[in-house]
Amino acid sequence: MATIVVIDDDSDILDASSLVLKVHGFEVITANNPDDGFRVVKENSPDLIILDVMMNEPDDGFYLAQKIRKEGIKIPIIMYTSISQTLGIDFGANILTPVDEFVEKPISPDELISKVKKHLNAKAVK
Amino acid sequence: MNSLEPKRVIVIDDEEALRHAVKRILEIEGFIVKVAVNGTEGIKLATEEDYDLAIIDLKMPDINGIDVLKEIRKSKPNTICYIATAFASYDSAIESTKLGADGYILKPFTPEELISQLYKGIEKRNILLETERLRKEREESLLEVAFERTRLKTIINSLKDGVVVINIHGEAVYFNTAALMLMNLEYLPLGIPVVEHFPNEIASLLNSHFLNGENQENTFSAEINRNGEGKLFIEATLSPIKQQNNTLAGVAVILRNITEYKRLELAKSQFVSMVAHELKAPIAATIGFLEILNNPEMKIDDAQRFDFQTRSHSRLKSLLSMVNDLLDISRLEMNKSIREIRELPLNEIISEALLLCQADIKKKNLKVKTNYSPHGITVKADLHEVSRLFLNLINNAVKYNKDGGSISVTAEEKNQFTVVKVSDTGIGLKPEEQAKLFVEYFRAKNEYTKQIHGTGLGLSIVKRIIESYDGKIEFKSIYGEGTEFILYFPAVVIGG
């Protein structure tokens, strides 16, 4: 059974996402700030991370993703965004972009599950 | 001088008979005649007033006629002077004209001889006066032109906008200091092509003016990097200058510094994207819940269904109040709201706000203490705005309080201000959070605030309202212990 860490400071999004993932049989661990997120990722060695880009500061999620990658953790990261266009951060052009896919909130349960499965399968193939 | 005016003649002669005879002849002819009995009186009279003609006797007991003439010339160069002499000879005639006389009159003379001499003198004087008038006129207009030029130059140089005039050969023929500053140039050489010195956008537009005979005025903005002084945004307007035959004579470039407008534009668009993000968060959460509620695969139980519905409802309510806050902010910003300034009893307004928060006060089991001065304290303000202000503050004091904590509201009149303090025993603010307290959409995020929803606009509305009445808001806060807001309402409301 795959384990997924969901990190978002919006507790409603956190609960809704984890419920959808649990119903589809995933093991879910949640965190609502970057520090807790980093800790649970290191402690639980999950198979995939879902991360909100904007927590306390506009790009907390982005820096957390970089921090995770610097630890040598290579599992897929899906990043939730809501205003990727207007943040002024050019994700695409940054060669250090440590994220596998950006998805825009809100995301439907079916879409979320299909994206999670896609990345888990890609990881399995590697 | 008007030629119809009677001419004025002064006769300077020590011989009384001659003076009278000349006076009579000339008065009959229509002249105004003045007489002087000797050289000294002659000089005095002829220099005090302006005479068209002077007849000066050559030999006078006090002063020689030639010396009298010299004195008159000094101050009245346009008075036509005749030397009258009984000893006329070729030599003395030459001598007197050499010394500045306009002619000589030979004694004795007939009235006709005298008058015809004088008329010649009048003609000469008219020419002299006309010449002088023209000279003066020319001098004055030259002065005026020179003055105009200096004035125009001073005006253009003191403009904050840059001005550069380029002729058809691409040479700068005029520029002011602001132009150099705005284009980050040290200097512009005059008389040689300078287009290459200009920022690229301006240079290429200048070329299109000259190459294609561009006829239109063009305005655009450009970014100029100034060495070590940051970026400058300028707006350049290029206007063709036409000659009379409608061919291009040159281009006038006007440069304006629009850096401040650009900065405001950026701040505004950052605000808009912030607003969009804040509005989207509750929508995303609610849609997330609804997707689950409507998805039969999710197989959720009734308790969970109820929980998600309640949370959706609360997110939508917070979305609504955020929209209301935004409307309030924009109303305050545009100064559109119609104010009704009245004496408002503070205790009533605060009680009303406390009443609106009653449910949450009970839920958290908060103690409320109010302490007003014995006489009713009032503020002069608009009811809607002041109610909003206190509702926001008291709502915060409730929302960010600890269970079983307390809220205290006091009011007193101090100097020229009504001072109101709203304090709570809530979670307080960390020093780094305090600096951002009044910033739109800033909400302290820490272990205590996780479950508290807010718009991040409440305090910024409070600040805008109190400052619009020339008042002030201050606060003291200790993290984990509580926060106190202190409001100063001025007793005198300007524009009220």
Side-chain angles (χ1 to χ4, degrees), chain B residues 294-323:
Chain B
N294 291 335
N295 192 330
E297 274 180 53
M298 292 297 156
K299 300 185 192 89
I300 52 173
D301 59 29
D302 282 353
Q304 199 143 45
R305 176 172 295 275
F306 180 74
D307 179 42
F308 283 4
Q309 280 167 350
T310 312
R311 284 161 75 175
S312 299
H313 185 234
S314 122
R315 291 305 288 261
L316 288 177
K317 270 193 350 198
S318 95
L319 179 62
L320 178 65
S321 65
M322 205 184 306
V323 171

Side-chain angles (χ1 to χ4, degrees), chain B residues 145-162:
Chain B
V145 168
F147 175 68
E148 246 339 287
R149 266 200 199 160
T150 330
R151 193 163 66 165
L152 201 62
K153 211 169 171 176
T154 312
I155 292 170
I156 294 176
N157 247 329
S158 42
L159 291 178
K160 276 195 174 161
D161 292 350

Side-chain angles (χ1 to χ4, degrees), chain B residues 292-354:
Chain B
I292 292 167
L293 291 171
N294 291 335
N295 192 330
E297 274 180 53
M298 292 297 156
K299 300 185 192 89
I300 52 173
D301 59 29
D302 282 353
Q304 199 143 45
R305 176 172 295 275
F306 180 74
D307 179 42
F308 283 4
Q309 280 167 350
T310 312
R311 284 161 75 175
S312 299
H313 185 234
S314 122
R315 291 305 288 261
L316 288 177
K317 270 193 350 198
S318 95
L319 179 62
L320 178 65
S321 65
M322 205 184 306
V323 171
N324 284 334
D325 284 356
L326 280 170
L327 289 173
D328 268 6
I329 282 196
S330 106
R331 258 196 295 269
L332 284 166
E333 227 170 39
M334 292 193 292
N335 254 337
K336 276 271 171 68
S337 54
I338 299 156
R339 281 182 169 168
E340 215 183 296
I341 308 290
R342 280 189 290 147
E343 290 261 347
L344 304 171
L346 263 185
N347 58 338
E348 281 179 29
I349 288 170
I350 291 165
S351 306
E352 182 77 25
L354 285 166

Side-chain angles (χ1 to χ4, degrees), chain B residues 249-313:
Chain B
V251 178
V253 185
I254 308 288
L255 304 157
R256 286 177 66 216
N257 184 352
I258 54 165
T259 313
E260 182 59 17
Y261 299 119
K262 283 277 176 190
R263 197 188 61 74
L264 288 174
E265 197 180 279
L266 183 70
K268 204 82 196 171
S269 68
Q270 278 172 343
F271 181 74
V272 168
S273 76
M274 205 66 161
V275 169
H277 178 263
E278 294 298 327
L279 295 178
K280 205 169 170 185
I283 295 173
T286 308
I287 289 179
F289 285 139
L290 290 176
E291 298 261 17
I292 292 167
L293 291 171
N294 291 335
N295 192 330
E297 274 180 53
M298 292 297 156
K299 300 185 192 89
I300 52 173
D301 59 29
D302 282 353
Q304 199 143 45
R305 176 172 295 275
F306 180 74
D307 179 42
F308 283 4
Q309 280 167 350
T310 312
R311 284 161 75 175
S312 299
H313 185 234

